[in-house]
Amino acid sequence: MPLASLAAALPYYPVNDYGPAMKGMVIGGLGIVHVFLAQFAIGGGMLLCYFQWLAQTGREPHARRFLDGYFKILVLVSFVTGALTGVAMWFTTIQISARTIGLMVDEFHWIWAIEWCFFSLEIAAGYTFLKWGDRLPDTWRLRLLAAYALASWMSLFWINGILSWQLTPGAWADGAGVWAGLFNPSFWPSLVFRTTVAMALAALAAAVVINTMDVDREARRRLILRAAHLLAPMALMPPLGLWYLAVIPDDSRSWLLGGSIAMTMFVGIAAGASVLVGAYAAIGLLLRRLYINGATATLLLALAFGATAAGEFVREGARKPYTVRDVLYSNSITPDELAGLRARGSVVDDPYPLRDAARYPTAQLQTGAKVFRLQCAVCHTMRGANALVHLAGTWTPEQLRMNIAKLQHTKPFMPPFAGPASEVEAIAQLIQWEVAGAPRAWPDTTGDAAALARIAGWLDEATPAGRPGAGASDHRAGGRP
Amino acid sequence: MTPPDGTAVYLVLYVATWLVHVALIGHVLTGTAWLAVRAALGKDDDALAATFRDRLPFMLGAAITAGVAPLLFVQVLYQERFYTANLLLSHRWMAVVPALIVGFYALYAAKTARVAAWPARWRAAVPGVATACFVFVAYSWTENHLLTLRPDRWATMYGEGAVVHVEAQLVPRVAMWLGLALPVGATIAAWAVRDDAGALRQLRAAALAGLAVAVAAGGVMVASWEPATAPRRGVAGVMLWGALGPALVLAVLWAVLPRARRRRLTLGAASFAALVVLVHVALFREAYRWDALAAARPRVAAAGGMAAFFAVFVANAAVIAWLIRGARRALRPAP
Ligand code: HEM
């Protein structure tokens, strides 16, 4: 049986159920670990170059000892886990949204191949240093470390382009090609921002490591103050943040600045934690030249982790309702496909059966479950996180019908509903059935022509025929002057 | 068999990078299993074992890095199938990552003085765990690969909530890869101990046994192809049996290697024969799934950046060569 998915425009992928968690939480969690380790590795490279220079110019007698210890940690933690979480990121993004990563691969595979070249250089330089570093003259040590640092920063350079493109495709959206997509409007602010984050993380991790070194306190203090120099670029964070906010689409900006409570909270956490780290660095280390003990250093690093985590949630969240701005909705449907799905139905061609089909008393509820799986399950669960029974549990049947038919107006970070009135009715019935405690018997409203006609009217109002996605035009235009 | 429109360059890059990946993986699998067995026998204190212990973490890093490249190209070439198989296997598939992390750290642990001081049984357990992890990963890739070629099974598998894919050729195919890893891995390792006839004799046993397993398993695999699979089996079979010739040459070269007078030359020839075997199996894999290959999607065909990639590739390769050569020359003798 050749699956429809191999031929149809909309590829149907099997959708996995993560229980009470949303898919976004899964990738969010892994993504944070990966980004944290990767940025630590990038900043670590720069820090090592700096310390090598301090050592070979005689400025810092203990620099070299620190360097060799820190490098081993960098290799153990960041090469192993960092490289492997990189593979894990590929696997996870496929699990979360195969169509999104597929689109990104189709568009940017040569960019990723370039990134891979730098990744190879990073590994080669890093391992050469690990193996021979203690038997090499200073010039070659510095060369290897510089190559390592540059290569790891270059992989950030390329990946940052692809990630920022998801939110601000810029001229690419008008057909300007891969380079326009890469050097998109938010490329530079996010690249510089991430670079400052990387340097800060490396400095904080260094403070932790230095505290474990077997040298006297004065020597440790001097080393920590040196490492703290990499915290200085944090001063650039506020203007960089503003620059970033200025180039992202209007609606995304409004989510971050109060429009969505969760998003705004994460922005607050990220900013607050960064301010704390920055303030400590500025007052304690750079101005008053204080010592920073192991516990404080670990606390600051944990704060920085919190800021990174919140920042990644913001980055993921700000894109809603798209995974690729204007091109692909979060539920893997494209604006161009809306009209066709409205006419034909979104789940009639879905080759994958329901795993729990027997649970549903009517065929209509089964359709509803398939619609939920295809269109809503990326962001919602029925009863767990962001649960529909909680969000819409008190609504009347008519409210449910209207708000789902006009989904992109109900909450602007939801995509438009991509199916005919009968599918809206099916999922509205499903929600009511779930709210009622999933009883064995349930009326089938498939024949309720009047209700379907009202829904069709709302669907047309929300998404005028012939202009797919036009109902969302207020934010489609945003960010592209 | 001309490649569908727009796929040729990706196919070439896919096959080339996959070859590097499996060659390095062969080395890792051989070395890890070697350490486990030798430690269990209490004989892991020779130069060969030391060589493996020393370089395996790096080799695994290199093998994984090399694997990222075909991972990219397979998404260009077989996107929907690859993603579907990943999604169907779901948690089972994702278990590859923790297995790799455990295996990786086990290889680092095997290098430490602390583990070296353990009694033989515990010392063997460390690479033993790593071996189990890597065998699991090899099995997972094979299972995923076969599942990409069975769209007839997808919907049922999903409906049943099954998280493993089984078909008759799965086990022999895994056995073929594991068997093949030994001669390939032994050939790479032999370069490091080429002056040590005793070590070469030990490696010879592994190489010849592995080859025998690979040939036998390959035969069983072909015999167990199900009717629903690959219409192009004819060509695929020819590719696979074509590997028998170079495999025989490889066996003969290994048989004489430990007492060969011109050892470098013999080893060079054996390396070439191993490469030819790998090329054959790589082509077999593509021939077997030839019908799954469609013309490049429009976005792929229009994607820019190819010239930049080749330029960066050459430049970075030059920098890597310069760094390694330069550092090697500048190296002070070990204290
Ligand atoms: C110790 C770890 C690993 C082992 C033992 C291993 C082994 C294998 C084997 C035996 C195959 C052939 C499967 C078949 O054709 O039946 C394969 C394919 C492949 N491996 Fe690995 N692998 C490992 C790690 C990795 C990693 C970490 C990556 C990614 C970064 C990777 C990327 C690939 C790719 C892309 C293919 C081709 C898949 C296809 O075309 O279907 N491998 N590997």
Side-chain angles (χ1 to χ4, degrees), chain A residues 135-174:
Chain A
R135 290 162 57 200
L136 282 174
D138 282 326
T139 40
W140 275 100
R141 284 170 62 91
L142 190 59
R143 273 176 198 163
L144 286 171
L145 289 175
Y148 173 78
L150 182 77
S152 59
W153 184 77
M154 283 307 276
S155 38
L156 171 70
F157 182 92
W158 301 102
I159 289 298
N160 168 67
I162 301 175
L163 295 181
S164 54
W165 163 86
Q166 285 183 272
L167 180 60
T168 55
W172 173 90
D174 306 320

Side-chain angles (χ1 to χ4, degrees), chain B residues 101-147:
Chain B
I101 293 180
V102 171
F104 218 142
Y105 281 116
L107 292 184
Y108 273 107
K111 276 177 88 158
T112 58
R114 176 188 295 218
V115 171
W118 285 357
R121 195 183 325 149
W122 292 108
R123 227 165 46 231
V126 175
V129 167
T131 308
C133 289
F134 300 152
V135 168
F136 172 74
V137 176
Y139 155 80
S140 299
W141 277 102
T142 309
E143 179 192 25
N144 184 79
H145 180 93
L146 290 176
L147 183 55

Side-chain angles (χ1 to χ4, degrees), chain B residues 214-327:
Chain B
V215 171
V220 176
M221 177 184 76
V222 173
S224 50
W225 278 342
E226 291 171 29
T229 62
R232 289 267 177 178
R233 282 183 207 176
V235 184
V238 171
M239 294 283 178
L240 193 61
W241 295 128
L244 277 179
L248 192 67
V249 173
L250 181 60
V252 170
L253 288 168
W254 258 106
V256 302
L257 182 64
R259 54 198 151 75
R261 213 165 304 135
R262 308 186 60 184
R263 227 181 249 160
R264 265 182 103 88
L265 188 72
T266 316
L267 191 51
S271 303
F272 185 72
L275 179 67
V276 177
V277 172
L278 282 184
V279 170
H280 266 280
V281 296
L283 295 179
F284 146 73
R285 287 174 82 247
E286 299 318 304
Y288 184 75
R289 60 174 164 180
W290 195 251
D291 280 29
L293 192 59
R297 290 172 296 285
R299 253 184 224 289
V300 172
M306 182 164 76
F309 162 70
F310 281 109
V312 170
F313 180 83
V314 171
N316 276 24
V319 171
I320 291 174
W322 174 72
L323 282 175
I324 294 179
R325 259 188 46 180

Side-chain angles (χ1 to χ4, degrees), chain A residues 5 15 106 109 116 127 355, chain B residues 10 65 80 87 108 158 297:
Chain A
S5 71
V15 179
D106 284 359
H109 51 271
W116 177 80
Y127 270 105
R355 280 178 178 160
Chain B
Y10 302 110
T65 308
E80 279 184 35
L87 287 163
Y108 273 107
Y158 177 82
R297 290 172 296 285

Side-chain angles (χ1 to χ4, degrees), chain A residues 32 39-40 63 74 132 142 145 186 233 235 240 265 278 418 461:
Chain A
I32 290 158
Q39 293 187 335
F40 164 60
L74 196 67
W132 291 338
L142 190 59
L145 289 175
S186 61
L240 287 170
M265 196 179 75
E461 262 175 54

Side-chain angles (χ1 to χ4, degrees), chain A residues 84 87 91, chain B residues 14 18 21-22 25 28-29 60 63-65 67-68 70-72 74 78 82 96 100 134-135 137-138 141-146 148 173 177 285-286 289:
Chain A
L84 279 168
V87 176
F91 288 5
Chain B
Y14 170 86
W18 185 80
H21 169 63
V22 277
I25 283 294
V28 171
L29 275 170
L60 180 62
I64 291 175
T65 308
V68 171
L71 177 59
L72 178 64
V74 82
Y78 303 100
F82 186 74
V96 162
L100 282 170
F134 300 152
V135 168
V137 176
W141 277 102
T142 309
E143 179 192 25
N144 184 79
H145 180 93
L146 290 176
T148 63
R173 187 167 166 130
W177 296 134
R285 287 174 82 247
E286 299 318 304
R289 60 174 164 180

